[in-house]
Structures are given as structure tokens and as C-alpha cells.
Amino acid sequence: MGKNKLRKWSEMDSWDFVIQPGFNEIFGKDFRLKGKWKSEFFRNGNPLVLELGCGKGEYTTGLAMMYPEKNFVGIDIKGARMWRGARTAHDHSLKNVGFLRTRIEFIRSFFGEGEVDELWITFPDPQMKRRREKKRLTSPIFLNSYRTFLAPGGIVHLKTDSKPLFDYTIKVIEHNSLKINFATDNLYESDYSGEILAIKTHYEKLFLLKGFPITYIQFEVNNEVRFELLEEKNPEQ
Ligand SMILES: C[S@@+](CC[C@H](N)C(=O)[O-])C[C@H]1O[C@@H](n2cnc3c(N)ncnc32)[C@H](O)[C@@H]1O
């Protein structure tokens, strides 16, 4: 391993706001911070916002700077990308940021009922091939997982260059009668003027350079509804 990579790993290990749980800490059990992120990790009662597949964590750190009265946790499986966001949080002494290195499939082991107020899903792998519905981060499988820890009326933001993923997500939302707060298939030509326009992720910049329109949906998850797959009849198989 190169010197640079070793330095990054050792920095990640030394920062107490970066959590890299071992398999034995979550396999068949809840992680020690489940239900306790506000009281034991952030030590305040502020709202908690997650960024899923955060990569370099531009939303996690960018929103944390804009909203010091909220807490943010960036989640990704890849440590090298996460290091960039963690380094930014360290350099700016951000006290309202955490990073969690894990697979999103395990997320229910980490967050307790009603613990999370908002979710950002930023440029996920679209997974639009046939029989990949279960892998999409806005599929009913994942929504069922998110509803276990989202507070009532919890908000999900999806930003993607993938029009098929945008269309699929609108279908899931409509099928389940969820409330859409805002949706556009061309964000930078829309009348949306919220904070999201100020932050652009690594992947977003690459897609903008290629001239792809950026889509955005903000919707509310009704945590009393159990969501069903649209494309596959037997979800358990
Ligand atoms: C296309 S990149 C987008 C990264 C960042 N959000 C951006 O916009 O630049 C997708 C990210 O999701 C992460 N990812 C994909 N599947 C994941 C999973 N099942 N669990 C955790 N992270 C995942 C990848 O490691 C990668 O960093």
C-alpha cells in the first residue's frame, strides 16, 4: 500500500467522528449507537440528517456548515472517498458531522425508531437493469428499511442524473401515495431556489460537464405504510 493511502487510513482511524464498525459489531445485533446518536455521539438533541452513498461527503459537510443546528452523518462503504469528507470536517472543526463506513443494506442496525429526520441520496448507482429493483436506493425494499428509523413526516431527497431512476422513484411515490414536496427533471432550469443548488458533489460535477440534466425529488415517507416492489412479484425470493 502506498504511503499516501496508509496516511489516510491512519487518519480515518484516529478521528473519533469516523465510525468503521467491524462485522462482529453489527452481525445479528444492533450497533451500540442505535437510538443514541443524539445523546451519545453528538451530545445534543438536534435533528439528524443522513447522506447515503455519500462518496466524498459534499452534502454532509456542506449542509453541516450551513446548518450548525442540525447533525449530519455521511454513510458509504468506500473509505478512500469518505476520507475526503472526513478531512474537510476535521479541517473545519465541524462538531455536527459523523461518518459511518458500512453497507446501506445494514442501516437498520444503526438507527432506531424515529431517530432520523431527513435522508439525502446523492447520485446513487441507478441499478436500472432488469431484476435490479431491490438494489435501487429508492426501491420499496430500502424505503421499508428507512421507515423504521425516519421520524413521522421524515423527508427523503434524491438528486440524480439518471432520468430512469427519477421516473422509477416517482412511480414508487405515486403507487404508495407519498407526498411530493418538490420534483423536477431539470433542476438548474427549474424555479427551485433552495440550499441544494449551492452544493455540487463530485459525481454531479462530472455529469454537468457531460451536459446531463440533474433531477431532484423531495418527498415524505409515511412510516405507517409497508411498501411493495413494483417490478418483481415475490420480494423474498
Ligand atoms: C456514484 S457514487 C456517488 C458518490 C457521491 N454521492 C457523489 O455524488 O459524488 C455512489 C456511492 O455510493 C456508494 N455505495 C454504493 N452502494 C453502496 C452500498 N450498498 N452501501 C454503501 N455505499 C454504497 C459507493 O461507494 C459510492 O461512493
Side-chain angles (χ1 to χ4, degrees):
M1 198 186 288
K3 251 193 191 163
N4 206 21
K5 215 166 184 186
L6 277 174
R7 179 181 57 82
K8 288 183 182 176
W9 289 132
S10 110
E11 284 187 349
M12 290 273 281
D13 280 340
S14 71
W15 292 326
D16 59 3
F17 62 92
V18 178
I19 311 254
Q20 306 186 73
F23 193 59
N24 58 346
E25 291 180 82
I26 52 162
F27 186 66
K29 57 180 168 196
D30 290 337
F31 185 62
R32 62 184 163 82
L33 285 172
K34 182 171 178 172
K36 299 177 190 158
W37 285 85
K38 292 179 192 176
S39 60
E40 292 192 7
F41 186 80
F42 290 108
R43 297 183 187 278
N44 61 43
N46 295 343
L48 178 56
V49 182
L50 309 182
E51 183 185 8
L52 306 185
C54 68
K56 299 182 180 188
E58 288 89 345
Y59 267 85
T60 302
T61 54
L63 291 174
M65 290 183 216
M66 287 180 193
Y67 299 99
E69 72 291 355
K70 291 185 184 181
N71 301 317
F72 297 85
V73 175
I75 302 174
D76 205 291
I77 192 60
K78 293 207 175 138
R81 290 181 183 171
M82 182 175 280
W83 170 86
R84 181 57 271 168
R87 178 86 228 180
T88 302
H90 172 79
D91 291 348
H92 288 80
S93 304
L94 297 176
K95 300 289 173 237
N96 57 338
V97 167
F99 281 95
L100 172 60
R101 188 164 168 222
T102 191
R103 295 196 67 82
I104 297 158
E105 286 77 355
F106 301 146
I107 199 164
R108 289 174 72 160
S109 304
F110 290 94
F111 299 96
E113 193 181 334
E115 190 170 19
V116 176
D117 297 275
E118 267 176 72
L119 279 185
W120 279 86
I121 306 176
T122 49
F123 298 89
D125 304 324
Q127 304 281 5
M128 289 311 298
K129 287 200 183 128
R130 264 190 79 225
R131 306 188 71 82
R132 303 290 284 178
E133 184 182 11
K134 291 181 208 168
K135 302 264 176 196
R136 298 174 203 152
L137 291 186
T138 52
S139 80
I141 296 278
F142 279 101
L143 291 182
N144 280 330
S145 178
Y146 309 152
R147 69 197 258 283
T148 65
F149 56 74
L150 273 172
I155 290 175
V156 177
H157 307 256
L158 170 70
K159 211 177 175 194
T160 175
D161 66 300
S162 167
K163 181 70 168 42
L165 181 63
F166 172 86
D167 290 339
Y168 167 79
T169 304
I170 294 278
K171 255 201 240 169
V172 173
I173 290 169
E174 287 177 349
H175 186 80
N176 293 287
S177 309
L178 302 181
K179 182 170 172 247
I180 295 184
N181 293 334
F182 192 85
T184 172
D185 62 5
N186 196 339
L187 181 60
Y188 297 108
E189 301 216 332
S190 74
D191 55 7
Y192 192 84
S193 60
E195 80 269 294
I196 55 163
L197 290 176
I199 301 173
K200 294 189 177 65
T201 73
H202 175 68
Y203 273 83
E204 177 169 6
K205 287 179 192 155
L206 299 178
F207 296 132
L208 283 170
L209 275 177
K210 290 183 181 166
F212 296 174
I214 304 301
T215 75
Y216 170 67
I217 315 176
Q218 183 190 123
F219 63 100
E220 292 183 20
V221 169
N222 175 348
N223 42 16
E224 282 164 18
V225 171
R226 182 160 180 87
F227 305 105
E228 286 176 11
L229 288 170
L230 297 185
E231 295 172 8
E232 294 173 50
K233 293 270 182 294
N234 301 307
E236 306 309 332
Q237 283 175 14

